[in-house]
């Protein structure tokens, strides 16, 4: 059976793209005019004007353009002709991937995305909707106000103790020399990421929306988890903010649990996982990519498409940028204020974390390089002596050391490249600004290098015995000198008063070395 083909002169029949969903009005919008949202089948959410949204709501693949024009005219309050509908479908909706081409009934038009590099690819479902619904309902009570206040108070106390009293870098250095501990930290990180997604789902459930599935995909080159919380768009701003913050909120709960377990067991890898979880939270809160911070900031400002608005908002604050001011003119003043305050808050935090890592960089590199050197030599020695099984186990330990080092180098290179490109673009055509930026960067690098070379930064930890010799074949175990036991002799107090026996030397006292951990 062939599909019906309209006769010449008949009005065309627009068709929606597969999986298209209409989400309704974007409540709490930061725009001066009302905006409406639709979600394509690939997950891309697009904002539309009221007229375009009315057209999309009437497109079902059955109504022709003339019928749609009558329907839209009645709801819009003004006449919208058949030609208007055809034009809007062909030149507005189809290029956005919302409707299918009118002239080609066999193929779809390519659907544009905001940033293909930042798209999550290769979706695989981990928990289906029914399982997520049960888990979210069981954890929803954690979003009650009293639980949130107690959690925030606990996090403040934990961070003061970890960074100001105990020292956060020491357990990280200890883990670098123990591949098994690194494996445990990796497992705890994965568990924290999964618990993070439960935070989104439970917050969505607590706010009155229905959470969808939890799955995984590939973000850039790294595996990443996601939670489908599209239903929150039909509720108010408070529910969307709670859902967006639910992930990092559950990260803090996870950190508090690990800290409590550390106080009971005194295992350093627990605090190392807590320290790394701080970076996970900061990474999630960054609005530069499509992570939690992007959607949180969008909900705060009432602007779902932050990529197109952050730069105009910031440039509009500077004199002489009239074009950027015009692009941001459709935003309410509160939206521009929220974006500015967010950036002013996040930049110092990120700089502080980066400065803390750079200050400890020599001890990080020394400890990691020493561990990799010993691990590699031991693994090679095991293979050379025919101990294949031991060598293969040693390879696992080597990979556990190489992976974080390579990942850190990769991320550092990406960040340095991004900073370089940003500074280059910002100072283009401004030689004085470029000179000032170069001088500031050179001065910072010189000061930091001086501190490293002069030994002003914390020193590396002393070499420790392997916690798992099976994963570290051939690594020597530091020996603790023991006090030699003198050979017992028979003495007579009357003939030999207190003191060394003639012809014999008294045993020398050999102190036991103690290892003190730096703060």
């Amino acid at each position: 059976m062939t599909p019906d083909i309209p006769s010449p002169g008949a009005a065309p029949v627009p068709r929606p793209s597969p999986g298209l969903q209409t989400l309704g009005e974007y409540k709490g919008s930061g725009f001066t005019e009302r905006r409406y949202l639709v979600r394509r089948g690939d997950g891309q959410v697009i904002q539309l004007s009221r007229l375009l949204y009315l057209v999309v709501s009437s497109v079902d693949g059955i109504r022709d353009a003339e019928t749609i024009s009558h329907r839209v005219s009645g709801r819009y309050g003004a006449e919208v002709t058949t030609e208007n509908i055809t034009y809007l479908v062909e030149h507005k909706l189809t290029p956005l991937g919302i409707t299918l081409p009118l002239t080609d009934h066999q193929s779809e038009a390519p659907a544009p995305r905001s940033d293909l590099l930042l798209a999550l690819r290769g979706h695989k479902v981990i928990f289906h909707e029914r399982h997520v619904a049960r888990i979210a309902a069981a954890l929803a009570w954690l979003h009650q106000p009293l639980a949130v206040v107690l959690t925030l108070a606990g996090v403040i106390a934990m961070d003061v103790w970890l960074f100001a009293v105990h020292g956060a870098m020491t357990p990280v250095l200890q883990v670098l020399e123990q591949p098994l501990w690194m494996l445990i930290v990796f497992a705890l990180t994965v568990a924290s990421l999964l618990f993070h997604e439960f935070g989104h789902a439970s917050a969505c459930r607590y706010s009155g929306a229905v959470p969808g599935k939890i799955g995984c995909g590939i973000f850039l080159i790294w595996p990443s988890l996601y939670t489908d919380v599209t239903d929150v768009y039909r509720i108010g701003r408070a529910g969307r903010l709670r859902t967006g913050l639910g992930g990092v909120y559950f990260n803090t709960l996870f950190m508090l649990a690990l800290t409590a377990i550390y106080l009971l067991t005194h295992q350093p890898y627990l605090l190392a996982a807590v320290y790394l979880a701080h970076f996970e939270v900061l990474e999630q809160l960054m609005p530069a990519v499509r992570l939690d911070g992007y959607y949180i900031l969008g909900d705060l400002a009432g602007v779902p498409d932050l990529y197109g608005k952050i730069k105009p908002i910031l440039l509009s604050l500077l004199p002489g940028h009239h074009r950027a001011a015009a692009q941001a003119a459709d935003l309410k003043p509160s939206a521009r204020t929220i974006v500015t305050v967010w950036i002013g808050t996040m930049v110092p935090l990120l700089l502080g974390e980066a400065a803390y890592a750079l200050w400890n960089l020599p001890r990080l590199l020394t400890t990691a390089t020493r561990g990799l050197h010993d691990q590699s030599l031991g693994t090679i020695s095991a293979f050379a002596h025919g101990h294949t099984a031991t060598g293969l186990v040693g390879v696992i330990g080597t990979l556990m050391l190489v992976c974080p080092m390579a990942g850190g180098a990769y991320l550092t290179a990406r960040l340095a490249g991004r900073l370089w490109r940003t500074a280059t673009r910002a100072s283009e055509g401004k030689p004085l600004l470029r000179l000032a930026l170069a001088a500031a960067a050179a001065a910072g690098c010189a000061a930091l290098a001086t501190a490293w070379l002069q030994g002003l930064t914390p020193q590396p930890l002393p070499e420790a015995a392997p916690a798992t010799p099976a994963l570290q074949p051939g690594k020597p175990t530091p020996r603790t000198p023991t006090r030699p036991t003198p050979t017992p002799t028979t003495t007579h107090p009357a003939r030999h008063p207190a003191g060394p026996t003639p012809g014999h030397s008294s045993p020398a006292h050999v102190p036991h070395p103690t290892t003190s951990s730096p703060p």
Side-chain angles (χ1 to χ4, degrees):
M1 181 176 180
T2 59
D4 295 334
I5 301 177
S7 59
V13 179
R15 297 169 298 152
S17 62
L20 183 70
Q21 294 178 324
T22 55
L23 303 178
E25 182 180 357
Y26 186 76
K27 298 179 180 179
S29 170
F31 295 92
T32 54
E33 297 181 358
R34 297 163 67 182
R35 297 297 178 94
Y36 297 80
L37 300 175
V38 296
R39 185 174 188 256
R40 293 196 316 233
D42 60 358
Q44 182 79 42
V45 177
I46 303 171
Q47 55 179 325
L48 301 173
S49 65
R50 179 169 177 263
L51 176 59
L52 288 176
Y53 187 78
L54 290 175
V55 175
V56 173
S57 301
S58 301
V59 172
D60 58 1
I62 300 176
R63 303 185 184 97
D64 60 16
E66 183 179 359
T67 305
I68 293 175
S69 68
H70 297 312
R71 183 183 178 90
V72 172
S73 297
R75 297 182 176 185
Y76 189 60
E79 183 181 2
V80 182
T81 65
T82 302
E83 291 74 16
N84 295 149
I85 297 297
T86 303
Y87 176 84
L88 293 175
V89 170
E90 287 185 334
H91 296 87
K92 299 294 183 180
L93 299 178
T94 298
L96 292 175
I98 297 175
T99 57
L100 302 180
L102 293 175
T103 57
D104 190 350
H105 293 269
Q106 302 299 326
S107 61
E108 302 180 20
R113 297 189 64 87
S114 297
D115 192 342
L116 293 176
L117 177 63
L118 303 178
L120 191 68
R121 297 170 289 127
H123 296 242
K124 298 295 181 182
V125 176
I126 300 177
F127 294 95
H128 290 278
E129 288 85 348
R130 63 182 183 277
H131 300 132
V132 174
R134 297 193 189 100
I135 297 173
L139 298 175
W141 68 273
L142 291 170
H143 297 276
Q144 295 180 0
L146 179 59
V148 173
V149 171
L150 292 176
T151 299
L152 294 179
V155 168
I156 294 174
M158 176 192 69
D159 280 352
V160 170
W161 172 78
L162 179 61
F163 290 97
V165 179
H166 182 275
M169 190 57 63
T170 299
V172 174
L173 295 172
Q174 292 173 332
V175 166
L176 283 176
E177 290 192 313
Q178 309 295 348
L180 179 61
W181 289 356
M182 295 181 67
L183 182 61
I184 295 175
V185 170
F186 175 77
L188 291 174
T189 302
V190 173
S192 175
L193 291 173
L194 184 59
F195 197 60
H196 172 102
E197 300 305 325
F198 291 151
H200 289 309
S202 58
C204 180
R205 173 71 166 75
Y206 182 83
S207 301
V210 180
K213 57 183 177 294
I214 293 178
C216 64
I218 301 297
F219 183 77
L220 295 177
I221 63 173
W222 312 110
S224 180
L225 299 175
Y226 70 91
T227 303
D228 185 359
V229 290
T230 307
D231 197 49
V232 298
Y233 282 107
R234 68 176 179 81
I235 62 179
R237 176 183 293 180
R240 292 198 301 270
L241 286 173
R242 183 184 295 110
T243 302
L245 290 167
V248 295
Y249 171 60
F250 267 42
N251 282 135
T252 61
L253 288 172
F254 197 84
M255 287 189 282
L256 287 175
L258 292 181
T259 304
I261 297 174
Y262 169 80
L263 296 176
L264 296 175
T265 63
H266 300 286
Q267 295 295 331
Y269 56 79
L270 296 170
L271 290 187
V274 171
Y275 175 71
L276 295 177
H278 283 77
F279 287 95
E280 178 187 336
V281 169
L282 288 176
E283 179 187 12
Q284 288 289 338
L285 292 177
M286 289 182 62
V289 295
R290 292 183 181 275
L291 298 176
D292 293 353
Y294 178 86
Y295 299 103
I296 293 170
L297 181 57
D299 291 329
L300 283 172
V303 183
D305 182 20
L306 292 177
Y307 285 124
K309 292 299 180 182
I310 289 181
K311 183 177 179 179
I313 290 174
L314 293 180
L315 290 179
S316 66
L317 300 176
L318 303 176
H321 291 77
H322 304 292
R323 182 177 179 181
Q327 293 177 354
D330 60 343
L331 293 178
K332 298 177 181 178
S334 60
R336 294 194 295 269
T337 302
I338 290 173
V339 173
T340 305
V341 171
W342 174 270
I343 294 176
T345 302
M346 288 301 300
V347 169
L349 288 175
L350 293 174
L351 290 178
E353 287 287 347
Y356 185 78
L358 287 175
W359 187 253
N360 288 274
L361 185 59
R363 67 197 307 218
L364 278 170
L365 292 178
T366 301
T367 306
T369 303
R370 184 178 64 199
L372 182 60
H373 175 267
D374 294 342
Q375 179 74 21
S376 301
L377 289 182
T379 304
I380 294 173
S381 176
F383 281 117
H385 289 83
H387 305 303
T388 305
T390 304
L392 292 176
V393 174
V395 170
I396 298 176
T398 304
L399 291 176
M400 294 304 299
L401 285 169
V402 170
C403 288
M405 295 173 65
Y410 170 79
L411 293 177
T412 301
R414 288 289 303 269
L415 179 60
R418 179 169 296 182
L419 291 175
W420 174 266
R421 291 190 297 270
T422 301
T424 302
R425 288 194 299 264
S427 60
E428 185 176 0
K430 302 174 182 178
L432 293 180
L433 177 59
R434 180 165 294 184
L435 181 61
L437 291 176
C445 292
L448 193 58
T450 301
W452 291 345
L453 296 175
Q454 296 296 327
L456 301 179
T457 57
Q459 298 301 308
L461 292 180
E463 190 171 6
T468 52
L471 286 175
Q472 298 170 278
K475 181 174 180 179
T477 302
R479 297 180 178 178
T480 302
T482 57
R483 184 197 305 269
T485 304
T487 303
T489 58
T490 303
T491 60
H492 299 278
R495 295 175 55 188
H496 301 282
T501 304
H504 296 273
S505 60
S506 59
H509 175 68
V510 181
H512 292 268
T514 59
T515 301
S516 59
S517 299

